[in-house]
Amino acid sequence: MNEDFQLETLAVRAGQERSQFNEHSEALYLTSSFVFDSAAQAAARFSGEAPGNVYSRFTNPTVSMMQDRLAALEGAEACVATASGMAAILAMAMALLKAGDHVVASQSIFGSTQQLFGGILPKFGVAATLVVGTDPAAFRAALLPNTKLVFIETPSNPLTEVFDIAAIAEVAHAAGALLAVDNCFCSPALQRPLQFGADLVIHSATKYLDGQGRVLGGAVLGRKALAEEVFKFLRTAGPTLSAFNAWVILKGLETLKIRMQAQSANALAVAQWLEAQPQVQRVFYPGLPSHPQHALAMRQQASGGAILSFEVKGGREAAWRVVDHCRLLSITANLGDTKTTITHPASTTHGRITAEARAAAGIAEGLLRVAVGLEAVGDIEADLARGLAPAA
Ligand SMILES: *Cc1c(COP(=O)(O)O)cnc(C)c1O
């Protein structure tokens, strides 16, 4: 589709291929396989000489539409959809790394991603070094001659640390490594890492791309040659996206920008309100001028995003009190939904690491993460205020 169109237009128009019925909305092709006109056509499709669908583990028209639309939004040459965000990261690693290679990853990445790099890939001879903090020099210091991939997530979960994509891309490229950015928290509506020099973008489409908590999905985006390698792994190994989930995500993308803008605006309002509460020790939100990397965030991101965290005075007891007084906010570790969610990282998402490791990572006992949705700001604040109020 014409690259001159702006993101809002691409979100509702890019990637659509109409069938002979000329349907207005994108069609959902629920079929495992495709029929050939002749033995010769079957042979040509199987060999790859002729374009066309063969089997939905390889390609499916609904999945292709979703891939093309997301590629347009990220400004990527190509997109490969996967069954989940973790399947995207696994597929990228299996396609682009081999035994003897080394990965440099931020320590502030999704827990399962850490487990993949630290616990699973080493079984196949791929080692990883985790970098603490956001300083590009620390990433440079962790590079080895066999480093092939640098992996970051920005802003991070739950402390919303912001990583300088352009600076870390330079560090990776100087060492001949690729930079992959997990763009789950911002989505292309707020941040496009490829513009800043990243080679690969990873998505858990389960989060903001669907945006309404319905399906799991993922994607790897980047240059055609890289995406082709990921595709070759996926079509053989199998963790591809189902047509139904692709269709849900395709429709989710249409409202991505307005959802992200509205949820970001809500998050900023809630963050400002939290900063003014006497029971709140500290608020972590890149959209606040008090955030140490506010300027960098505003260079890289269109806004602060919809996720914030805050530390309440009184440790775990006070934090749990806030959670347990919520009647509106959903107590769940999931995020990226139109419904606001609240979680206590120290006892959930970061509960399996030792207390010392948690403290080193800055995950305080009084820390709460809120992924702000589309409810009225006043209602969200009233829900949080109930548990923040001093016990009677
Ligand atoms: C949820 C999440 C993932 C994993 O995605 P799934 O779809 O759950 O497999 C990866 N990265 C980040 C930042 C996430 O929030």
Side-chain angles (χ1 to χ4, degrees):
M1 187 156 173
N2 191 329
E3 289 185 4
D4 293 341
F5 286 121
Q6 296 183 45
L7 187 127
E8 293 86 338
T9 309
L10 294 170
V12 294
R13 295 282 181 178
Q16 181 167 16
E17 291 279 349
R18 295 203 167 103
S19 77
Q20 79 265 33
F21 300 115
N22 228 9
E23 65 282 352
H24 190 206
S25 177
E26 293 76 5
L28 168 51
Y29 293 94
L30 282 179
T31 180
S32 48
S33 71
F34 299 83
V35 177
F36 311 111
D37 294 338
S38 64
Q41 191 192 50
R45 291 234 181 127
F46 264 83
S47 71
E49 276 164 48
N53 299 290
V54 171
Y55 186 53
S56 283
R57 170 152 48 79
F58 308 163
T59 58
N60 172 283
T62 309
V63 175
S64 299
M65 287 191 271
M66 180 258 155
Q67 292 177 155
D68 291 348
R69 182 164 296 174
L70 184 55
L73 298 186
E74 283 285 3
E77 259 178 41
C79 170
V80 190
T82 58
S84 67
M86 287 318 302
I89 300 170
L90 173 68
M92 173 194 66
M94 295 302 270
L96 304 178
L97 301 171
K98 60 179 188 321
D101 286 348
H102 176 247
V103 176
V104 170
S106 158
Q107 186 194 251
S108 305
I109 52 177
F110 190 64
S112 298
T113 311
Q114 250 195 51
Q115 184 54 26
L116 178 70
F117 287 141
I120 294 177
L121 292 184
K123 290 202 295 187
F124 302 94
V126 175
T129 303
L130 294 183
V131 174
V132 177
T134 62
D135 186 358
F139 281 83
R140 186 182 297 115
L143 292 165
L144 297 173
N146 56 338
T147 303
K148 293 287 156 53
L149 179 73
V150 176
F151 190 97
I152 60 171
E153 200 178 298
T154 181
S156 74
N157 177 25
L159 293 173
T160 73
E161 300 155 282
V162 180
F163 292 77
D164 188 331
I165 300 170
I168 296 172
E170 221 177 286
V171 164
H173 294 161
L178 298 169
L179 174 65
V181 179
D182 184 331
N183 199 27
C184 187
F185 273 32
C186 276
S187 89
L190 302 185
Q191 171 174 277
R192 270 164 286 170
L194 299 176
Q195 285 184 340
F196 297 101
D199 302 283
L200 295 150
V201 167
I202 295 292
H203 273 292
S204 167
T206 316
K207 310 296 166 49
Y208 292 105
L209 303 189
D210 165 25
Q212 289 145 87
R214 299 166 294 192
V215 298
L216 273 84
V220 182
L221 298 106
R223 293 188 291 280
K224 236 188 177 112
L226 295 174
E228 187 60 32
E229 291 304 308
V230 176
F231 173 68
K232 280 195 270 182
F233 169 80
L234 272 173
R235 60 171 274 162
T236 301
T240 45
L241 185 64
S242 80
F244 180 80
N245 288 10
W247 181 79
V248 171
I249 295 162
L250 189 56
K251 303 312 281 181
L253 289 176
E254 296 186 359
T255 55
L256 178 67
K257 177 113 185 217
I258 53 171
R259 281 188 284 108
M260 291 310 291
Q261 282 176 337
Q263 291 180 226
S264 277
N266 282 2
L268 177 60
V270 172
Q272 286 166 338
W273 175 82
L274 282 167
E275 265 197 331
Q277 304 310 303
Q279 303 89 347
V280 173
Q281 183 86 38
R282 190 170 165 198
V283 181
F284 302 85
Y285 181 65
L288 287 176
S290 61
H291 190 287
Q293 295 156 303
H294 177 65
L296 170 62
M298 294 301 102
R299 276 206 305 280
Q300 263 176 203
Q301 307 172 204
S303 70
I307 295 165
L308 61 87
S309 59
F310 63 102
E311 199 182 326
V312 294
K313 296 174 186 166
R316 178 175 296 213
E317 196 187 331
W320 278 24
R321 191 165 181 278
V322 173
V323 172
D324 290 338
H325 278 76
C326 286
R327 293 179 200 152
L328 178 68
L329 273 50
S330 311
I331 306 170
T332 169
N334 198 26
L335 58 93
D337 201 290
T338 50
K339 298 178 173 75
T340 300
T341 66
I342 187 165
T343 193
H344 178 245
S347 58
T348 60
T349 53
H350 295 69
R352 274 184 292 177
I353 59 176
T354 64
E356 296 78 54
R358 259 202 311 279
I363 315 290
E365 288 293 322
L367 190 76
L368 291 167
R369 187 200 69 200
V370 176
V372 180
L374 286 178
E375 301 93 339
V377 169
D379 291 335
I380 297 169
E381 290 170 358
D383 216 40
L384 293 169
R386 206 174 301 113
L388 279 175

